[in-house]
Amino acid sequence: IPGDTPGDYGMLQGTPSLYQMSITIKDAFDHPLTWLHNIPEVNFTPDLLESVRFERRQDILALRRIHDDVWVMDEPFSYPVSMDKINQLKESVGKMRFASFIDLAGRVDLAHYGLDQPKGRIVFDLAASTITSFSSDMQTSKSHSVEAQQIVIDIGHAVDNLGFYALYDGVVYQASNLSMGFMTDPDPDSYLSRYPVSIPLNRLNTFSATSEDGLQISYHVALVEDIMPNNEVSRDAQGDVLYKFVFTNGAGKEVPAEDAAELYKRLIGIHATGKADTSRSYEGVSPVFEARIQFGQLTREIKFYPYDALHAAIAVDGTVLYYTDLTYLKEAEKIMLSLSGK
């Protein structure tokens, strides 16, 4: 419509009148029919994650939860992962949203969207859970169990620099990089932990350390109720039961908890200080230090091989990616010597 104020002509269905309308009215309704389609929620409680598998052609990154604060990498190799990175992943999972509905997979040519042979696939395995709902007055509740489930999302062609096409549950969607971009190009290196021991003491069953000269210290770890001299269970100010660590050596003898915990503190503090030359072979080379930890079904062997005058290569279950300072190993050996007679 000519004039200083932009507008459009419009009519209301069933009436003969012609109206002048603001251009914003047309913009509000000028969308394809797919824009009106319901978009399912794909976000879920991140704490339900049991494992995540990123597939990109032949490249696979597989992460698995051992415990709430213990995750491991199973592929492309076995290695401890950074909990900071896992927490970032869980935060991203909690924000997942599809941007728009495209069409049912059976009604379109999947090749047009790059989904006939997806360039990527993400598999989320979720633990069984219980959903509880409350009445409006919060007086009554209903609960129902949800079985363990698997969520699979295929990744297709990129959409400009905005996102990508995705196939989920038989439907093609457009996803945005803002909410789901973390799925498109995962970097295994970014998930690696720089701390090879990395298992909290309260999760351990056993741990051992062996020095270069053959001195070996091994302990079984138990977390038990703290019993006071009057045989009553010790409690805090809130009435909660207090626990303490009990360490026993290979002969079944209990050792001072402070000393054993100090050794593990030294072990868990060993961290990578640089990237190692992965082309080097350590076959036939004797380690300068060894550590072994066991938690549930998880057993991890960490060996330290001579790297240069100041450093030792870190081999976690046979995989060498980093080196550490020899001073960390020497500090652990000092604690071992003090414990050798106990």
Side-chain angles (χ1 to χ4, degrees):
I1 297 176
D4 295 333
T5 303
D8 292 310
Y9 291 115
M11 296 182 67
L12 297 178
Q13 186 175 4
T15 67
S17 302
L18 184 66
Y19 297 93
Q20 177 181 344
M21 298 181 177
S22 167
I23 60 172
T24 60
I25 293 179
K26 186 179 73 173
D27 290 342
F29 295 97
D30 190 14
H31 295 283
L33 290 177
T34 56
W35 182 78
L36 301 174
H37 201 285
N38 288 333
I39 299 177
E41 297 282 350
V42 292
N43 61 312
F44 46 82
T45 303
D47 289 338
L48 293 178
L49 275 175
E50 294 279 17
S51 67
V52 183
R53 181 180 177 88
F54 298 89
E55 301 177 5
R56 210 170 156 78
R57 300 289 191 247
Q58 302 301 317
D59 297 328
I60 296 175
L61 169 59
L63 307 170
R64 177 169 52 92
R65 181 172 70 92
I66 302 296
H67 199 275
D68 291 343
D69 53 1
V70 181
W71 281 66
V72 295
M73 180 184 295
D74 288 329
E75 295 185 70
F77 43 77
S78 175
Y79 212 85
V81 298
S82 165
M83 282 307 301
D84 287 340
K85 186 65 177 180
I86 291 297
N87 289 332
Q88 291 177 22
L89 172 64
K90 292 166 68 175
E91 182 179 355
S92 297
V93 166
K95 296 178 180 178
M96 288 194 304
R97 302 288 189 278
F98 286 125
S100 60
F101 169 89
I102 301 298
D103 212 329
L104 299 178
R107 299 196 308 205
V108 296
D109 179 7
L110 291 179
H112 177 73
Y113 301 99
L115 292 167
D116 58 328
Q117 296 181 350
K119 66 179 182 180
R121 168 173 288 183
I122 297 86
V123 180
F124 300 101
D125 286 308
L126 309 183
S129 61
T130 300
I131 297 178
T132 302
S133 58
F134 292 87
S135 60
S136 57
D137 58 4
M138 300 298 289
Q139 297 301 311
T140 59
S141 64
K142 293 182 179 179
S143 299
H144 69 275
S145 299
V146 179
E147 295 182 353
Q149 57 183 309
Q150 187 177 82
I151 293 176
V152 180
I153 301 175
D154 287 341
I155 297 176
H157 291 325
V159 182
D160 298 325
N161 292 320
L162 301 176
F164 56 92
Y165 293 113
L167 178 63
Y168 167 64
D169 199 22
V171 180
V172 178
Y173 298 96
Q174 182 175 325
S176 71
N177 288 331
L178 182 63
S179 66
M180 299 178 73
F182 73 95
M183 300 165 53
T184 60
D185 192 21
D187 178 15
D189 286 353
S190 68
Y191 284 90
L192 300 176
S193 174
R194 270 52 174 177
Y195 292 81
V197 177
S198 75
I199 303 294
L201 181 58
N202 61 340
R203 306 297 182 210
L204 279 186
N205 295 123
T206 63
F207 75 93
S208 65
T210 306
S211 65
E212 185 175 14
D213 59 8
L215 174 62
Q216 185 180 68
I217 300 291
S218 177
Y219 294 119
H220 177 270
V221 185
L223 193 59
V224 301
E225 294 177 342
D226 185 20
I227 305 299
M228 296 187 294
N230 60 2
N231 286 330
E232 291 186 3
V233 176
S234 180
R235 298 178 182 274
D236 61 16
Q238 287 71 42
D240 296 325
V241 175
L242 296 177
Y243 294 85
K244 67 176 183 178
F245 287 107
V246 174
F247 297 85
T248 52
N249 59 24
K253 178 184 176 182
E254 185 174 338
V255 299
E258 296 79 6
D259 296 337
E262 181 64 24
L263 173 59
Y264 193 71
K265 178 182 176 182
R266 298 292 181 178
L267 295 179
I268 206 170
I270 298 172
H271 62 276
T273 53
K275 288 191 173 182
D277 179 1
T278 56
S279 66
R280 289 176 59 171
S281 172
Y282 297 91
E283 185 176 356
V285 179
S286 298
V288 296
F289 194 86
E290 298 179 55
R292 185 178 187 273
I293 55 177
Q294 191 265 325
F295 157 58
Q297 301 299 314
L298 172 68
T299 299
R300 184 178 298 164
E301 301 276 356
I302 307 110
K303 296 184 179 181
F304 300 85
Y305 293 99
Y307 191 76
D308 58 31
L310 300 176
H311 303 99
I314 307 171
V316 180
D317 293 331
T319 299
V320 176
L321 299 174
Y322 302 103
Y323 60 75
T324 188
D325 293 352
L326 285 171
T327 53
Y328 296 128
L329 308 182
K330 298 301 182 184
E331 290 172 358
E333 287 179 350
K334 289 180 182 179
I335 303 297
M336 292 173 64
L337 286 172
S338 68
L339 288 168
S340 61
K342 298 181 180 180

PDB file of all heavy atoms in Angstrom, residues 257-291:
ATOM      1  N   ALA A 257      45.650 -45.046  58.588  1.00  0.00           N
ATOM      2  CA  ALA A 257      44.902 -44.511  57.447  1.00  0.00           C
ATOM      3  C   ALA A 257      45.554 -43.252  56.876  1.00  0.00           C
ATOM      4  O   ALA A 257      45.563 -43.047  55.662  1.00  0.00           O
ATOM      5  CB  ALA A 257      43.462 -44.227  57.865  1.00  0.00           C
ATOM      6  N   GLU A 258      46.115 -42.423  57.753  1.00  0.00           N
ATOM      7  CA  GLU A 258      46.706 -41.172  57.283  1.00  0.00           C
ATOM      8  C   GLU A 258      47.866 -41.421  56.335  1.00  0.00           C
ATOM      9  O   GLU A 258      48.018 -40.754  55.310  1.00  0.00           O
ATOM     10  CB  GLU A 258      47.173 -40.314  58.464  1.00  0.00           C
ATOM     11  CG  GLU A 258      46.064 -39.830  59.384  1.00  0.00           C
ATOM     12  CD  GLU A 258      45.597 -40.910  60.358  1.00  0.00           C
ATOM     13  OE1 GLU A 258      46.230 -41.992  60.386  1.00  0.00           O
ATOM     14  OE2 GLU A 258      44.614 -40.677  61.075  1.00  0.00           O
ATOM     15  N   ASP A 259      48.712 -42.410  56.673  1.00  0.00           N
ATOM     16  CA  ASP A 259      49.878 -42.701  55.848  1.00  0.00           C
ATOM     17  C   ASP A 259      49.474 -43.281  54.492  1.00  0.00           C
ATOM     18  O   ASP A 259      49.986 -42.882  53.441  1.00  0.00           O
ATOM     19  CB  ASP A 259      50.807 -43.687  56.568  1.00  0.00           C
ATOM     20  CG  ASP A 259      51.390 -43.097  57.843  1.00  0.00           C
ATOM     21  OD1 ASP A 259      51.447 -41.852  57.937  1.00  0.00           O
ATOM     22  OD2 ASP A 259      51.773 -43.870  58.734  1.00  0.00           O
ATOM     23  N   ALA A 260      48.551 -44.247  54.509  1.00  0.00           N
ATOM     24  CA  ALA A 260      48.111 -44.868  53.258  1.00  0.00           C
ATOM     25  C   ALA A 260      47.389 -43.852  52.373  1.00  0.00           C
ATOM     26  O   ALA A 260      47.572 -43.829  51.151  1.00  0.00           O
ATOM     27  CB  ALA A 260      47.201 -46.062  53.552  1.00  0.00           C
ATOM     28  N   ALA A 261      46.568 -43.005  53.000  1.00  0.00           N
ATOM     29  CA  ALA A 261      45.856 -41.990  52.229  1.00  0.00           C
ATOM     30  C   ALA A 261      46.826 -40.978  51.630  1.00  0.00           C
ATOM     31  O   ALA A 261      46.600 -40.466  50.527  1.00  0.00           O
ATOM     32  CB  ALA A 261      44.835 -41.280  53.120  1.00  0.00           C
ATOM     33  N   GLU A 262      47.914 -40.704  52.327  1.00  0.00           N
ATOM     34  CA  GLU A 262      48.917 -39.781  51.802  1.00  0.00           C
ATOM     35  C   GLU A 262      49.570 -40.342  50.553  1.00  0.00           C
ATOM     36  O   GLU A 262      49.841 -39.604  49.589  1.00  0.00           O
ATOM     37  CB  GLU A 262      49.972 -39.487  52.870  1.00  0.00           C
ATOM     38  CG  GLU A 262      51.067 -38.520  52.431  1.00  0.00           C
ATOM     39  CD  GLU A 262      50.545 -37.124  52.109  1.00  0.00           C
ATOM     40  OE1 GLU A 262      49.471 -36.750  52.619  1.00  0.00           O
ATOM     41  OE2 GLU A 262      51.216 -36.423  51.335  1.00  0.00           O
ATOM     42  N   LEU A 263      49.832 -41.650  50.528  1.00  0.00           N
ATOM     43  CA  LEU A 263      50.395 -42.269  49.331  1.00  0.00           C
ATOM     44  C   LEU A 263      49.437 -42.134  48.158  1.00  0.00           C
ATOM     45  O   LEU A 263      49.838 -41.762  47.048  1.00  0.00           O
ATOM     46  CB  LEU A 263      50.707 -43.751  49.586  1.00  0.00           C
ATOM     47  CG  LEU A 263      51.157 -44.550  48.349  1.00  0.00           C
ATOM     48  CD1 LEU A 263      52.414 -43.940  47.734  1.00  0.00           C
ATOM     49  CD2 LEU A 263      51.389 -46.016  48.713  1.00  0.00           C
ATOM     50  N   TYR A 264      48.160 -42.419  48.404  1.00  0.00           N
ATOM     51  CA  TYR A 264      47.203 -42.321  47.295  1.00  0.00           C
ATOM     52  C   TYR A 264      47.047 -40.870  46.849  1.00  0.00           C
ATOM     53  O   TYR A 264      46.852 -40.593  45.659  1.00  0.00           O
ATOM     54  CB  TYR A 264      45.846 -42.902  47.687  1.00  0.00           C
ATOM     55  CG  TYR A 264      44.971 -43.101  46.469  1.00  0.00           C
ATOM     56  CD1 TYR A 264      45.250 -44.104  45.543  1.00  0.00           C
ATOM     57  CD2 TYR A 264      43.885 -42.270  46.217  1.00  0.00           C
ATOM     58  CE1 TYR A 264      44.484 -44.275  44.408  1.00  0.00           C
ATOM     59  CE2 TYR A 264      43.106 -42.431  45.082  1.00  0.00           C
ATOM     60  CZ  TYR A 264      43.412 -43.441  44.185  1.00  0.00           C
ATOM     61  OH  TYR A 264      42.649 -43.603  43.052  1.00  0.00           O
ATOM     62  N   LYS A 265      47.158 -39.946  47.781  1.00  0.00           N
ATOM     63  CA  LYS A 265      47.109 -38.532  47.425  1.00  0.00           C
ATOM     64  C   LYS A 265      48.230 -38.187  46.451  1.00  0.00           C
ATOM     65  O   LYS A 265      48.029 -37.423  45.501  1.00  0.00           O
ATOM     66  CB  LYS A 265      47.211 -37.683  48.690  1.00  0.00           C
ATOM     67  CG  LYS A 265      47.217 -36.182  48.443  1.00  0.00           C
ATOM     68  CD  LYS A 265      47.375 -35.407  49.752  1.00  0.00           C
ATOM     69  CE  LYS A 265      47.468 -33.913  49.498  1.00  0.00           C
ATOM     70  NZ  LYS A 265      47.661 -33.149  50.769  1.00  0.00           N
ATOM     71  N   ARG A 266      49.410 -38.772  46.690  1.00  0.00           N
ATOM     72  CA  ARG A 266      50.539 -38.528  45.780  1.00  0.00           C
ATOM     73  C   ARG A 266      50.278 -39.157  44.408  1.00  0.00           C
ATOM     74  O   ARG A 266      50.591 -38.574  43.367  1.00  0.00           O
ATOM     75  CB  ARG A 266      51.820 -39.115  46.371  1.00  0.00           C
ATOM     76  CG  ARG A 266      52.234 -38.494  47.691  1.00  0.00           C
ATOM     77  CD  ARG A 266      52.672 -37.062  47.536  1.00  0.00           C
ATOM     78  NE  ARG A 266      53.098 -36.489  48.812  1.00  0.00           N
ATOM     79  CZ  ARG A 266      53.558 -35.256  48.954  1.00  0.00           C
ATOM     80  NH1 ARG A 266      53.658 -34.467  47.913  1.00  0.00           N
ATOM     81  NH2 ARG A 266      53.911 -34.811  50.156  1.00  0.00           N
ATOM     82  N   LEU A 267      49.697 -40.352  44.423  1.00  0.00           N
ATOM     83  CA  LEU A 267      49.427 -41.038  43.152  1.00  0.00           C
ATOM     84  C   LEU A 267      48.395 -40.288  42.321  1.00  0.00           C
ATOM     85  O   LEU A 267      48.560 -40.099  41.113  1.00  0.00           O
ATOM     86  CB  LEU A 267      48.942 -42.470  43.408  1.00  0.00           C
ATOM     87  CG  LEU A 267      49.944 -43.425  44.059  1.00  0.00           C
ATOM     88  CD1 LEU A 267      49.295 -44.790  44.276  1.00  0.00           C
ATOM     89  CD2 LEU A 267      51.207 -43.557  43.222  1.00  0.00           C
ATOM     90  N   ILE A 268      47.317 -39.867  42.987  1.00  0.00           N
ATOM     91  CA  ILE A 268      46.250 -39.195  42.257  1.00  0.00           C
ATOM     92  C   ILE A 268      46.681 -37.802  41.795  1.00  0.00           C
ATOM     93  O   ILE A 268      46.084 -37.223  40.886  1.00  0.00           O
ATOM     94  CB  ILE A 268      44.972 -39.129  43.130  1.00  0.00           C
ATOM     95  CG1 ILE A 268      43.731 -39.058  42.233  1.00  0.00           C
ATOM     96  CG2 ILE A 268      45.017 -37.965  44.089  1.00  0.00           C
ATOM     97  CD1 ILE A 268      42.431 -39.240  42.978  1.00  0.00           C
ATOM     98  N   GLY A 269      47.738 -37.275  42.416  1.00  0.00           N
ATOM     99  CA  GLY A 269      48.242 -35.967  42.014  1.00  0.00           C
ATOM    100  C   GLY A 269      49.176 -36.009  40.818  1.00  0.00           C
ATOM    101  O   GLY A 269      49.509 -34.961  40.250  1.00  0.00           O
ATOM    102  N   ILE A 270      49.615 -37.202  40.417  1.00  0.00           N
ATOM    103  CA  ILE A 270      50.493 -37.320  39.237  1.00  0.00           C
ATOM    104  C   ILE A 270      49.689 -36.923  38.003  1.00  0.00           C
ATOM    105  O   ILE A 270      48.614 -37.461  37.745  1.00  0.00           O
ATOM    106  CB  ILE A 270      51.025 -38.760  39.082  1.00  0.00           C
ATOM    107  CG1 ILE A 270      51.869 -39.138  40.300  1.00  0.00           C
ATOM    108  CG2 ILE A 270      51.829 -38.891  37.798  1.00  0.00           C
ATOM    109  CD1 ILE A 270      52.272 -40.608  40.318  1.00  0.00           C
ATOM    110  N   HIS A 271      50.210 -35.975  37.234  1.00  0.00           N
ATOM    111  CA  HIS A 271      49.484 -35.531  36.048  1.00  0.00           C
ATOM    112  C   HIS A 271      50.435 -35.265  34.889  1.00  0.00           C
ATOM    113  O   HIS A 271      51.647 -35.085  35.063  1.00  0.00           O
ATOM    114  CB  HIS A 271      48.683 -34.257  36.363  1.00  0.00           C
ATOM    115  CG  HIS A 271      49.528 -33.084  36.766  1.00  0.00           C
ATOM    116  ND1 HIS A 271      49.959 -32.896  38.073  1.00  0.00           N
ATOM    117  CD2 HIS A 271      50.034 -32.051  36.046  1.00  0.00           C
ATOM    118  CE1 HIS A 271      50.669 -31.793  38.139  1.00  0.00           C
ATOM    119  NE2 HIS A 271      50.743 -31.268  36.914  1.00  0.00           N
ATOM    120  N   ALA A 272      49.860 -35.279  33.703  1.00  0.00           N
ATOM    121  CA  ALA A 272      50.644 -35.065  32.487  1.00  0.00           C
ATOM    122  C   ALA A 272      51.161 -33.634  32.445  1.00  0.00           C
ATOM    123  O   ALA A 272      50.440 -32.689  32.772  1.00  0.00           O
ATOM    124  CB  ALA A 272      49.793 -35.346  31.263  1.00  0.00           C
ATOM    125  N   THR A 273      52.403 -33.485  32.023  1.00  0.00           N
ATOM    126  CA  THR A 273      52.986 -32.154  31.862  1.00  0.00           C
ATOM    127  C   THR A 273      53.353 -31.866  30.411  1.00  0.00           C
ATOM    128  O   THR A 273      53.871 -30.801  30.111  1.00  0.00           O
ATOM    129  CB  THR A 273      54.238 -32.014  32.750  1.00  0.00           C
ATOM    130  OG1 THR A 273      55.150 -33.092  32.483  1.00  0.00           O
ATOM    131  CG2 THR A 273      53.851 -32.040  34.222  1.00  0.00           C
ATOM    132  N   GLY A 274      53.074 -32.816  29.533  1.00  0.00           N
ATOM    133  CA  GLY A 274      53.342 -32.607  28.115  1.00  0.00           C
ATOM    134  C   GLY A 274      52.901 -33.801  27.297  1.00  0.00           C
ATOM    135  O   GLY A 274      52.624 -34.877  27.825  1.00  0.00           O
ATOM    136  N   LYS A 275      52.791 -33.592  25.977  1.00  0.00           N
ATOM    137  CA  LYS A 275      52.407 -34.676  25.067  1.00  0.00           C
ATOM    138  C   LYS A 275      53.642 -35.471  24.668  1.00  0.00           C
ATOM    139  O   LYS A 275      54.672 -34.907  24.283  1.00  0.00           O
ATOM    140  CB  LYS A 275      51.722 -34.120  23.823  1.00  0.00           C
ATOM    141  CG  LYS A 275      50.320 -33.597  24.090  1.00  0.00           C
ATOM    142  CD  LYS A 275      49.591 -33.299  22.789  1.00  0.00           C
ATOM    143  CE  LYS A 275      48.132 -32.936  23.061  1.00  0.00           C
ATOM    144  NZ  LYS A 275      47.386 -32.699  21.805  1.00  0.00           N
ATOM    145  N   ALA A 276      53.517 -36.792  24.763  1.00  0.00           N
ATOM    146  CA  ALA A 276      54.647 -37.662  24.439  1.00  0.00           C
ATOM    147  C   ALA A 276      54.706 -37.955  22.943  1.00  0.00           C
ATOM    148  O   ALA A 276      53.712 -37.818  22.218  1.00  0.00           O
ATOM    149  CB  ALA A 276      54.519 -38.978  25.215  1.00  0.00           C
ATOM    150  N   ASP A 277      55.872 -38.354  22.492  1.00  0.00           N
ATOM    151  CA  ASP A 277      56.060 -38.814  21.114  1.00  0.00           C
ATOM    152  C   ASP A 277      55.439 -40.203  21.007  1.00  0.00           C
ATOM    153  O   ASP A 277      55.980 -41.185  21.517  1.00  0.00           O
ATOM    154  CB  ASP A 277      57.554 -38.861  20.790  1.00  0.00           C
ATOM    155  CG  ASP A 277      57.837 -39.357  19.377  1.00  0.00           C
ATOM    156  OD1 ASP A 277      56.878 -39.655  18.643  1.00  0.00           O
ATOM    157  OD2 ASP A 277      59.020 -39.462  19.012  1.00  0.00           O
ATOM    158  N   THR A 278      54.271 -40.292  20.361  1.00  0.00           N
ATOM    159  CA  THR A 278      53.536 -41.560  20.313  1.00  0.00           C
ATOM    160  C   THR A 278      54.163 -42.578  19.362  1.00  0.00           C
ATOM    161  O   THR A 278      53.722 -43.727  19.334  1.00  0.00           O
ATOM    162  CB  THR A 278      52.074 -41.313  19.901  1.00  0.00           C
ATOM    163  OG1 THR A 278      52.047 -40.610  18.650  1.00  0.00           O
ATOM    164  CG2 THR A 278      51.359 -40.479  20.955  1.00  0.00           C
ATOM    165  N   SER A 279      55.175 -42.167  18.603  1.00  0.00           N
ATOM    166  CA  SER A 279      55.828 -43.115  17.693  1.00  0.00           C
ATOM    167  C   SER A 279      56.882 -43.963  18.407  1.00  0.00           C
ATOM    168  O   SER A 279      57.339 -44.975  17.867  1.00  0.00           O
ATOM    169  CB  SER A 279      56.479 -42.362  16.524  1.00  0.00           C
ATOM    170  OG  SER A 279      57.551 -41.538  16.982  1.00  0.00           O
ATOM    171  N   ARG A 280      57.244 -43.568  19.609  1.00  0.00           N
ATOM    172  CA  ARG A 280      58.252 -44.316  20.358  1.00  0.00           C
ATOM    173  C   ARG A 280      57.672 -45.611  20.895  1.00  0.00           C
ATOM    174  O   ARG A 280      56.511 -45.676  21.306  1.00  0.00           O
ATOM    175  CB  ARG A 280      58.805 -43.471  21.504  1.00  0.00           C
ATOM    176  CG  ARG A 280      59.687 -42.326  21.036  1.00  0.00           C
ATOM    177  CD  ARG A 280      60.139 -41.437  22.182  1.00  0.00           C
ATOM    178  NE  ARG A 280      60.888 -42.139  23.222  1.00  0.00           N
ATOM    179  CZ  ARG A 280      61.520 -41.532  24.220  1.00  0.00           C
ATOM    180  NH1 ARG A 280      61.494 -40.206  24.302  1.00  0.00           N
ATOM    181  NH2 ARG A 280      62.170 -42.228  25.125  1.00  0.00           N
ATOM    182  N   SER A 281      58.493 -46.641  20.907  1.00  0.00           N
ATOM    183  CA  SER A 281      58.083 -47.937  21.437  1.00  0.00           C
ATOM    184  C   SER A 281      58.785 -48.188  22.770  1.00  0.00           C
ATOM    185  O   SER A 281      59.960 -47.848  22.952  1.00  0.00           O
ATOM    186  CB  SER A 281      58.431 -49.060  20.453  1.00  0.00           C
ATOM    187  OG  SER A 281      58.209 -50.328  21.025  1.00  0.00           O
ATOM    188  N   TYR A 282      58.051 -48.804  23.703  1.00  0.00           N
ATOM    189  CA  TYR A 282      58.620 -49.097  25.011  1.00  0.00           C
ATOM    190  C   TYR A 282      58.686 -50.608  25.252  1.00  0.00           C
ATOM    191  O   TYR A 282      58.828 -51.050  26.385  1.00  0.00           O
ATOM    192  CB  TYR A 282      57.791 -48.415  26.102  1.00  0.00           C
ATOM    193  CG  TYR A 282      57.811 -46.906  25.964  1.00  0.00           C
ATOM    194  CD1 TYR A 282      56.834 -46.245  25.218  1.00  0.00           C
ATOM    195  CD2 TYR A 282      58.838 -46.154  26.527  1.00  0.00           C
ATOM    196  CE1 TYR A 282      56.863 -44.874  25.059  1.00  0.00           C
ATOM    197  CE2 TYR A 282      58.873 -44.778  26.377  1.00  0.00           C
ATOM    198  CZ  TYR A 282      57.882 -44.142  25.639  1.00  0.00           C
ATOM    199  OH  TYR A 282      57.927 -42.775  25.488  1.00  0.00           O
ATOM    200  N   GLU A 283      58.590 -51.340  24.166  1.00  0.00           N
ATOM    201  CA  GLU A 283      58.681 -52.797  24.269  1.00  0.00           C
ATOM    202  C   GLU A 283      60.077 -53.181  24.774  1.00  0.00           C
ATOM    203  O   GLU A 283      61.095 -52.734  24.245  1.00  0.00           O
ATOM    204  CB  GLU A 283      58.417 -53.447  22.911  1.00  0.00           C
ATOM    205  CG  GLU A 283      58.382 -54.960  22.959  1.00  0.00           C
ATOM    206  CD  GLU A 283      58.025 -55.575  21.624  1.00  0.00           C
ATOM    207  OE1 GLU A 283      57.733 -54.824  20.666  1.00  0.00           O
ATOM    208  OE2 GLU A 283      58.035 -56.827  21.531  1.00  0.00           O
ATOM    209  N   GLY A 284      60.122 -53.977  25.807  1.00  0.00           N
ATOM    210  CA  GLY A 284      61.393 -54.402  26.377  1.00  0.00           C
ATOM    211  C   GLY A 284      62.005 -53.417  27.337  1.00  0.00           C
ATOM    212  O   GLY A 284      63.062 -53.691  27.926  1.00  0.00           O
ATOM    213  N   VAL A 285      61.357 -52.249  27.535  1.00  0.00           N
ATOM    214  CA  VAL A 285      61.868 -51.221  28.446  1.00  0.00           C
ATOM    215  C   VAL A 285      61.240 -51.421  29.823  1.00  0.00           C
ATOM    216  O   VAL A 285      60.031 -51.605  29.945  1.00  0.00           O
ATOM    217  CB  VAL A 285      61.549 -49.802  27.926  1.00  0.00           C
ATOM    218  CG1 VAL A 285      62.064 -48.746  28.910  1.00  0.00           C
ATOM    219  CG2 VAL A 285      62.135 -49.601  26.538  1.00  0.00           C
ATOM    220  N   SER A 286      62.055 -51.400  30.858  1.00  0.00           N
ATOM    221  CA  SER A 286      61.548 -51.571  32.224  1.00  0.00           C
ATOM    222  C   SER A 286      60.971 -50.255  32.738  1.00  0.00           C
ATOM    223  O   SER A 286      61.598 -49.196  32.584  1.00  0.00           O
ATOM    224  CB  SER A 286      62.665 -52.032  33.159  1.00  0.00           C
ATOM    225  OG  SER A 286      63.168 -53.294  32.756  1.00  0.00           O
ATOM    226  N   PRO A 287      59.791 -50.282  33.349  1.00  0.00           N
ATOM    227  CA  PRO A 287      59.211 -49.045  33.887  1.00  0.00           C
ATOM    228  C   PRO A 287      59.979 -48.561  35.099  1.00  0.00           C
ATOM    229  O   PRO A 287      60.577 -49.343  35.837  1.00  0.00           O
ATOM    230  CB  PRO A 287      57.780 -49.460  34.253  1.00  0.00           C
ATOM    231  CG  PRO A 287      57.860 -50.941  34.484  1.00  0.00           C
ATOM    232  CD  PRO A 287      58.910 -51.447  33.533  1.00  0.00           C
ATOM    233  N   VAL A 288      59.944 -47.250  35.320  1.00  0.00           N
ATOM    234  CA  VAL A 288      60.594 -46.664  36.498  1.00  0.00           C
ATOM    235  C   VAL A 288      59.617 -46.571  37.662  1.00  0.00           C
ATOM    236  O   VAL A 288      60.025 -46.325  38.805  1.00  0.00           O
ATOM    237  CB  VAL A 288      61.166 -45.270  36.168  1.00  0.00           C
ATOM    238  CG1 VAL A 288      62.257 -45.372  35.117  1.00  0.00           C
ATOM    239  CG2 VAL A 288      60.065 -44.315  35.717  1.00  0.00           C
ATOM    240  N   PHE A 289      58.343 -46.788  37.366  1.00  0.00           N
ATOM    241  CA  PHE A 289      57.324 -46.740  38.415  1.00  0.00           C
ATOM    242  C   PHE A 289      56.051 -47.369  37.860  1.00  0.00           C
ATOM    243  O   PHE A 289      55.784 -47.296  36.657  1.00  0.00           O
ATOM    244  CB  PHE A 289      57.054 -45.291  38.841  1.00  0.00           C
ATOM    245  CG  PHE A 289      56.283 -45.151  40.129  1.00  0.00           C
ATOM    246  CD1 PHE A 289      56.931 -45.149  41.349  1.00  0.00           C
ATOM    247  CD2 PHE A 289      54.896 -45.018  40.110  1.00  0.00           C
ATOM    248  CE1 PHE A 289      56.222 -45.013  42.541  1.00  0.00           C
ATOM    249  CE2 PHE A 289      54.176 -44.889  41.288  1.00  0.00           C
ATOM    250  CZ  PHE A 289      54.839 -44.883  42.513  1.00  0.00           C
ATOM    251  N   GLU A 290      55.269 -47.998  38.747  1.00  0.00           N
ATOM    252  CA  GLU A 290      54.014 -48.606  38.324  1.00  0.00           C
ATOM    253  C   GLU A 290      52.934 -48.347  39.376  1.00  0.00           C
ATOM    254  O   GLU A 290      53.225 -48.257  40.574  1.00  0.00           O
ATOM    255  CB  GLU A 290      54.160 -50.128  38.153  1.00  0.00           C
ATOM    256  CG  GLU A 290      55.151 -50.549  37.096  1.00  0.00           C
ATOM    257  CD  GLU A 290      55.266 -52.072  37.002  1.00  0.00           C
ATOM    258  OE1 GLU A 290      54.213 -52.731  36.820  1.00  0.00           O
ATOM    259  OE2 GLU A 290      56.393 -52.583  37.140  1.00  0.00           O
ATOM    260  N   ALA A 291      51.707 -48.222  38.915  1.00  0.00           N
ATOM    261  CA  ALA A 291      50.558 -48.100  39.816  1.00  0.00           C
ATOM    262  C   ALA A 291      49.423 -48.939  39.253  1.00  0.00           C
ATOM    263  O   ALA A 291      49.270 -49.054  38.025  1.00  0.00           O
ATOM    264  CB  ALA A 291      50.124 -46.648  39.959  1.00  0.00           C
TER     265      ALA A 291
END
